[in-house]
Amino acid sequence: GENVEQHPSTLSVQEGDSAVIKCTYSDSASNYFPWYKQELGKRPQLIIDIRSNVGEKKDQRIAVTLNKTAKHFSLHITETQPEDSAVYFCAASKGSGGYQKVTFGTGTKLQVIP
Amino acid sequence: GAGVSQSPSNKVTEKGKDVELRCDPISGHTALYWYRQSLGQGLEFLIYFQGNSAPDKSGLPSDRFSAERTGGSVSTLTIQRTQQEDSAVYLCASRPRTGSGNTIYFGEGSWLTVV
């Protein structure tokens, strides 16, 4: 089955700096890679996703890159703000076909220091 | 409803008792997932439903855990003879059918405490 590894487990950055979180996956058939943000005591919420036919996607201060050959993808947050502090989860899934199990990474706790 | 609804939101139960957790997915979503999240930990996959069938229940930790889904909608996760290590947040998520988008939407979770 799919295995997703996520690094680092914790990350502290100064406000205004950039943050990068990296994930690798094992199943080359995975073709959908979402990122979720979970604030303390809240549900995980989708912040950005990328499909395997795209190498990069950007949404304001957030961007995700995907390297299918190396089977890794990364989340980039620029100009970090204190409200970016949360736990971030990457995930890998097969987005079509009958079997759609979603496998999550172990999470990265991001702390943005004002 | 507008989102994935879970009940109860909080449950305190005595060790050895059975509990049922309910998930009402977004209308029309065919895929439904249960995850477990212990305090400060990641999202542990439990079971996945496509319609009423469960093609993957490999994440259920023991035979004390079971889940069903009826009518392609509501799902119930049952934990029998609860143990203290079952204390966690149980998150349900749903997803539209293939070709209609891949976004997975989570409920607020059911916080289970076994004392």
Side-chain angles (χ1 to χ4, degrees):
Chain A
E2 176 67 275
N3 182 49
V4 177
E5 295 191 357
Q6 182 172 348
H7 301 280
S9 56
T10 60
L11 179 60
S12 291
V13 299
Q14 290 292 134
E15 181 177 358
D17 287 350
S18 295
V20 180
I21 302 170
K22 299 182 179 182
C23 289
T24 61
Y25 61 100
S26 60
D27 188 345
S28 57
S30 289
N31 58 9
Y32 174 65
F33 307 92
W35 285 87
Y36 283 79
K37 175 183 181 182
Q38 186 178 32
E39 297 177 348
L40 191 63
K42 301 284 184 64
R43 74 180 87 187
Q45 292 197 300
L46 180 76
I47 54 171
I48 194 167
D49 57 12
I50 191 168
R51 289 166 174 77
S52 59
N53 58 347
V54 176
E56 183 175 0
K57 183 177 178 181
K58 191 172 182 180
D59 182 4
Q60 298 183 345
R61 297 186 296 109
I62 295 173
V64 57
T65 59
L66 171 65
N67 183 327
K68 285 176 56 180
T69 303
K71 290 191 283 199
H72 66 69
F73 55 114
S74 300
L75 177 72
H76 305 252
I77 306 174
T78 58
E79 301 172 24
T80 53
Q81 300 169 4
E83 52 265 37
D84 295 329
S85 296
V87 178
Y88 291 80
F89 293 97
C90 64
S93 171
K94 298 169 192 174
S96 62
Y99 186 68
Q100 297 187 44
K101 181 179 176 180
V102 182
T103 303
F104 284 86
T106 49
T108 297
K109 184 176 182 180
L110 174 65
Q111 181 184 21
V112 179
I113 304 166
Chain B
V4 178
S5 177
Q6 290 188 245
S7 61
S9 54
N10 283 285
K11 175 73 175 179
V12 180
T13 190
E14 292 182 351
K15 179 181 172 181
K17 296 284 178 96
D18 297 352
V19 295
E20 284 190 353
L21 308 177
R22 174 188 168 108
C23 173
D24 198 344
I26 294 172
S27 178
H29 282 198
T30 56
L32 185 148
Y33 308 81
W34 284 98
Y35 292 88
R36 180 169 70 175
Q37 189 173 33
S38 300
L39 189 62
Q41 301 300 308
L43 298 166
E44 178 188 3
F45 169 78
L46 298 179
I47 189 169
Y48 150 62
F49 288 92
Q50 186 65 36
N52 289 337
S53 64
D56 191 341
K57 52 181 77 171
S58 63
L60 294 177
S62 73
D63 59 7
R64 295 187 296 104
F65 288 73
S66 63
E68 65 176 13
R69 189 181 186 194
T70 55
S73 181
V74 172
S75 176
T76 302
L77 176 69
T78 301
I79 309 172
Q80 295 179 309
R81 305 181 302 282
T82 52
Q83 304 294 313
Q84 288 184 330
E85 60 263 29
D86 299 335
S87 297
V89 178
Y90 289 82
L91 288 161
C92 176
S94 70
R95 187 181 194 184
R97 69 182 185 276
T98 304
S100 299
N102 300 117
T103 303
I104 303 132
Y105 298 88
F106 282 89
E108 293 283 4
S110 290
W111 295 66
L112 176 65
T113 304
V114 182
V115 297

